[in-house]
Amino acid sequence: MLDAIYRAARGRIGALAAGLGDHQLRTPVPATPGWTVHHVLAHLVGGAADVLAGRLDGAPGDSWTARHVAERRRRPVEELLDEWQRAAPAVEASLPERHTGPNLAADAICHEADLHEALGLARTDREHWQPFLAAMGHFPGRRLRDTATLVITDELDRQWRCGSGESVMELRADGYELLRGLFSRRSRRQIAGWDWSPAPPAELVDGFGAFGPRDDDQPIPVG
């Protein structure tokens, strides 16, 4: 499953990138401070190339991703996409059948949405990211344990129960926004502003995203 998700995401991102002008490629990406659209592409390609080469020391940390950008900073998009195509079969072969943790399929889905938000495009289609929301919806429960129970409901009435405590909190939110929050792509203020009952404690808001909290509000695309 994840190999097909990755292959399709690579195709969509490649088609998007191939049509961008120099100004768009230099557009800052709010979700990845300090990076432009070109830098995000360089990281996606670099991650695939590293899987092909077995060069995974430091993955998925900041030094690993920064090297992807540094090594490809001046390379044109056409070269990046060619390198990605050559490396992609190795990535697809390395992916587990199901979403079990960090992997390059999740990375591609996350960064595809980053690019759409940076470029002012509509949100990515639900069919592309729904498997990751289904798998990650229980993630906030790691902060609750037996102190409370959080019931999360999206706009399609899909539900996730997190934690096992007697006190119950409820959260109703759009599925796309939930996933972006779970990927640490929404700020503390944005997450706290969702439809919670009662209001969430600061520890839950801080621990909602897989990659830690952030304070910079992120652009919210048109549905």
Side-chain angles (χ1 to χ4, degrees):
M1 180 176 111
L2 287 176
D3 57 346
I5 289 174
Y6 180 82
R7 190 180 308 116
R10 182 177 65 84
R12 294 190 302 271
I13 295 169
L16 172 64
L20 298 178
D22 290 343
H23 177 72
Q24 291 168 305
L25 290 168
R26 292 194 297 269
T27 300
V29 178
T32 55
W35 281 9
T36 64
V37 168
H38 186 279
H39 293 156
V40 171
L41 294 171
H43 157 59
L44 288 167
V45 174
D50 277 1
V51 169
L52 177 62
R55 192 182 181 189
L56 300 176
D57 291 348
D62 291 344
S63 62
W64 188 66
T65 59
R67 178 172 54 73
H68 301 157
V69 174
E71 291 176 348
R72 295 165 179 81
R73 186 180 301 274
R74 302 189 184 282
R75 292 176 56 185
V77 166
E78 294 79 7
E79 288 187 15
L80 294 180
L81 297 182
D82 285 346
E83 183 183 13
W84 202 2
Q85 183 172 2
R86 292 192 301 272
V91 175
E92 294 167 14
S94 75
L95 291 169
E97 183 177 345
R98 298 183 179 277
H99 177 63
T100 56
N103 59 66
L104 293 193
D107 195 51
I109 290 295
C110 180
H111 286 308
E112 181 184 17
D114 292 346
L115 294 174
H116 275 241
E117 292 178 6
L119 293 166
L121 303 176
R123 66 168 61 175
T124 52
D125 291 342
R126 187 180 190 110
E127 64 184 279
H128 302 151
W129 47 260
Q130 175 62 41
F132 296 97
L133 177 60
M136 296 174 67
H138 295 95
F139 184 85
R142 80 201 195 293
R143 294 282 182 176
L144 294 172
R145 298 177 185 167
D146 59 354
T147 62
T149 295
L150 171 62
V151 180
I152 302 173
T153 308
D154 71 6
E155 80 279 14
L156 300 180
D157 287 331
R158 292 188 172 95
Q159 266 191 2
W160 297 263
R161 295 184 69 87
C162 311
S164 57
E166 291 186 6
S167 63
V168 176
M169 289 179 290
E170 295 185 1
L171 168 62
R172 295 194 66 92
D174 174 84
Y176 176 86
E177 287 300 299
L178 282 173
L179 185 62
R180 296 301 280 161
L182 290 165
F183 274 132
S184 295
R185 262 47 183 185
R186 293 296 180 259
S187 69
R188 287 181 171 101
R189 189 192 69 82
Q190 288 174 310
I191 292 172
W194 292 342
D195 184 9
W196 297 85
S197 180
E203 313 88 76
L204 180 54
V205 173
D206 288 352
F208 197 89
F211 305 106
R214 66 188 308 151
D215 290 317
D216 50 332
D217 287 354
Q218 295 295 298
I220 298 177
V222 176

